[in-house]
Amino acid sequence: DPDALTAARKHVKKAIAVALKDKLMATYAENNADAKAPFSKSAEAVGARRIKNTCLDYLSSLATDETRGVALKQLKESNAMSDIVAATVALSGDTTPARAEAFQHFYDKHAKGNDLLLCKWFMMQATSDVPDALAQADKLLSHPDFVMTNPNKQRSVISAFAMNMKHFHNKDGSGYKWLGDKILQVDKINNQQAARLMSFFSTFRRYDDSRQKLMRAQLDRLVATEGLSKDAYEVASKTLKD
């Protein structure tokens, strides 16, 4: 059950953060002491970044003005991309203006003009746990920097959203319908990529009866589509038979 699994994970994470907030904040501060120092690849520096970003990840589950402030400060002041990404991810599921501020800053300062970081920017949004996740993922496809013919950018939005457990597996089937539509669109551009996207339906039998029926309906629709490429058809038909 994707909903129960996601809820349980969030509950445990927040419970740990509530119980250990002071220690997490202290450990974060201890490992962030040299935040403005020149970037270092030393084992000590790498270790410190990992520890503080783990602390930040837990603290972000509290979703308070204080934790948002910590994340935004790290995002804007750090000179290490791992810190910048971690801070952006920490705010990716937030429902306040801090989320939009974080993504806008990441785009303006790092992603714009850099395809590698642009794909990361797309992916962080497509995998976000926010109420309108599907609408936001769909909106990304209309972004001026998104190019459907670019496989990396396709993956950074379409594949990324398909890995967004809670929202791709929404019990109303909207995520499945969206992916089915995108597969048909991509199939006209790159049939091998369309076949890879089809694989997100390959585990449909692991889910409850309702979700199985919804995913099967998309597979049936795709198999019945006139002009579907051989690659995509083979994956879909094999999935239905297995």
Side-chain angles (χ1 to χ4, degrees):
D1 185 329
D3 293 330
L5 183 59
T6 304
R9 182 180 182 276
K10 291 177 71 173
H11 174 77
V12 171
K13 189 175 179 181
K14 186 173 182 179
I16 292 172
V18 169
L20 301 176
K21 180 190 172 185
D22 291 343
K23 289 185 178 180
L24 288 168
M25 289 293 283
T27 303
Y28 176 89
E30 180 183 346
N31 286 277
N32 195 46
D34 295 327
K36 294 184 179 180
F39 176 76
S40 172
K41 294 182 180 179
S42 70
E44 292 79 6
V46 171
R49 286 195 290 270
R50 287 179 178 174
I51 291 171
K52 77 173 180 181
N53 288 328
T54 298
C55 292
L56 181 62
D57 182 43
Y58 278 93
L59 289 166
S60 67
S61 67
L62 299 175
T64 64
D65 288 343
E66 180 183 19
T67 58
R68 292 184 190 104
V70 171
L72 283 171
K73 180 177 174 62
Q74 175 171 308
L75 169 65
K76 295 177 179 180
E77 294 184 359
S78 179
N79 55 17
M81 186 51 63
S82 58
D83 284 353
I84 293 165
V85 168
T88 307
V89 170
L91 292 165
S92 65
D94 200 82
T95 55
T96 72
R99 179 181 188 274
E101 182 180 350
F103 278 119
Q104 190 62 54
H105 179 86
F106 190 96
Y107 177 79
D108 291 340
K109 299 296 183 181
H110 307 288
K112 191 174 183 178
N114 184 319
D115 268 10
L116 182 63
L117 293 178
L118 185 63
C119 286
K120 187 69 176 179
W121 183 74
F122 282 135
M123 185 186 74
M124 288 189 289
Q125 293 176 83
T127 55
S128 295
D129 182 8
V130 288
D132 60 342
L134 176 56
Q136 292 206 24
D138 199 54
K139 185 178 179 181
L140 290 174
L141 300 179
S142 299
H143 191 278
D145 291 330
F146 181 82
V147 181
M148 185 64 85
T149 54
N150 183 311
N152 289 332
K153 290 182 179 178
Q154 278 181 31
R155 285 190 288 270
S156 70
V157 177
I158 302 174
S159 297
F161 179 76
M163 292 185 283
N164 189 331
M165 180 180 287
K166 179 179 178 179
H167 299 284
F168 175 60
H169 291 289
N170 191 309
K171 59 185 178 182
D172 67 2
S174 57
Y176 306 148
K177 172 66 164 55
W178 183 83
L179 180 60
D181 291 343
K182 301 315 160 199
I183 288 173
L184 291 176
Q185 186 177 353
V186 172
D187 195 48
K188 297 175 181 179
I189 302 168
N190 184 330
N191 51 43
Q192 291 184 344
Q193 182 67 9
R196 293 188 188 98
L197 290 172
M198 196 81 75
S199 67
F200 285 108
F201 290 129
S202 66
T203 59
F204 78 97
R205 289 183 178 84
R206 298 180 184 177
Y207 296 89
D208 58 86
D209 289 344
S210 177
R211 288 183 172 90
Q212 283 191 42
K213 290 177 182 177
L214 291 167
M215 282 188 268
R216 181 183 284 276
Q218 291 305 312
L219 288 166
D220 288 337
R221 173 171 77 106
L222 292 163
V223 167
T225 299
E226 184 177 354
L228 187 70
S229 70
K230 179 181 177 181
D231 289 337
Y233 178 85
E234 285 183 351
V235 175
S237 58
K238 185 177 185 298
T239 299
L240 286 167
K241 291 177 182 178
D242 286 348

